[in-house]
Amino acid sequence: MATYVNNLRLKEIATGDESGTWGTSTNTNLELVTDGFSYGTKQFASDSNETFTMPDGTADATRGFYLKFTSAGSLTATRTATLGPNTVSKVWVIENATTGSQSISIKQGSGAEITITNGSKAMVVTDGAGAGAAVFNANPTESGAGTVTSVQVAGGSTGLTYSGGPITGSGTITTAGTLAVANGGTGATTLTANNVLLGNGTSAPLAVAPSTSGNLLTSNGSTWQSTAPSGQPDPTLTGVGVTATEGQFLVATAGSITINLPASPSAGDFVIVKDGTGAAATTSFTVATTDGANIASSATNLTFDKNFAEITMTYINGSIGWSV
């Protein structure tokens, strides 16, 4: 008489049994063995604990190596899935894919259980000890924390070193020297603030300083440089008093206002001022300095009183001040 006492509940044929059908039973056994390495799904039919038993000699998802648990409805609390028979010793990877965001507990007998949170997976092993059978967590664990004191990269001075204990989230890694361009570095230990770096082949990058306020990064066909913008700047309309910036084109849209020139100008700085009202002759406005600089060699402010006039004011020196 056949028995099913093994861990996959395969048919064990007694001596002399199944003459003529022994091959069929053996093929079924082989298929069930492969099921032990397969993927299967079992479902909680209701919001309650359930037992899922591996049947004798017939296919069933419970036999699968990867066993996914779902639920017909939402679980309202942690529910227990009992794996039977309690004499089966086996390894499973179990996924909790139930709805309701609840954990499930995996048990076999009265022994230990494993809880799997919703959406998580765990590798478990059953000991098959009968009524007192237990389920254990078989997830691989790390061997232990290690330390790194030095990482050496080919190239000598490009090596990375660390001292002061194990590298942690608060540790610092520094290079043993400058990182060469060939290794993705700059070949420099410091970089000047606000400079623009230019590629220079295998040599250290070149740097372009911002230079004069208002300058632009322009190409001369072979490299980049900081140069003053060419042509007239775009106009800025104002109907209230303002302080101009170097290189600005201000159009007054109202009379009786004051436009202040930039403080502490440098030789060559300029500002363009225009009457946009067409009424400056009757409603004038003033162009003044904020730091006592002269305008056309005079300490007197400039009064704009000609309709639609446009003046470029260029700073020359401390004596002339702003030339008109």
Side-chain angles (χ1 to χ4, degrees), residues 232-238 248-251 272 274:
Q232 185 166 288
D234 292 335
T236 299
L237 278 61
T238 179
Q248 192 172 25
F249 179 11
L250 285 171
V251 178
I272 303 173
K274 178 180 177 63

Side-chain angles (χ1 to χ4, degrees), residues 192-198 206-212 215-217 224-227:
T192 302
N194 302 317
N195 278 6
V196 176
L197 298 182
L198 305 178
L206 302 175
V208 178
S211 191
T212 304
N215 273 13
L216 303 174
L217 192 65
W224 296 88
Q225 55 197 355
S226 175
T227 58

Side-chain angles (χ1 to χ4, degrees), residues 21 48 50 55 71 84 96 119 121 128 150 154 159 161 188 190 213 218 234 244-245 252 262 297 321-322:
T21 61
S48 61
E50 290 202 36
S71 60
N96 178 0
K121 309 173 186 69
S150 177
T161 62
T190 60
S213 175
T218 59
D234 292 335
T245 58
S297 299
W322 295 88

Side-chain angles (χ1 to χ4, degrees), residues 21 34 45 83 94 110 123 128 143 156 187 199 238 253 256 287 294 312 317:
T21 61
T34 63
L83 298 176
I94 296 180
S110 61
M123 179 178 286
S143 60
T238 179
T253 59
S256 302
V287 177
N294 287 339
T312 299
N317 54 38

Side-chain angles (χ1 to χ4, degrees), residues 6-24:
N6 51 78
N7 290 320
L8 287 179
R9 310 305 292 180
L10 307 178
K11 179 188 284 187
E12 297 181 3
I13 304 169
T15 302
D17 284 355
E18 300 202 16
S19 176
T21 61
W22 187 89
T24 300

Side-chain angles (χ1 to χ4, degrees), residues 133-215:
V135 181
F136 302 101
N137 191 325
N139 280 344
T141 56
E142 62 177 347
S143 60
T147 59
V148 177
T149 57
S150 177
V151 179
Q152 181 65 41
V153 181
S157 63
T158 64
L160 301 175
T161 62
Y162 179 87
S163 60
I167 297 176
T168 65
S170 61
T172 301
I173 300 176
T174 57
T175 59
T178 59
L179 191 59
V181 174
N183 293 317
T186 62
T189 56
T190 60
L191 297 173
T192 302
N194 302 317
N195 278 6
V196 176
L197 298 182
L198 305 178
N200 192 26
T202 58
S203 300
L206 302 175
V208 178
S211 191
T212 304
S213 175
N215 273 13

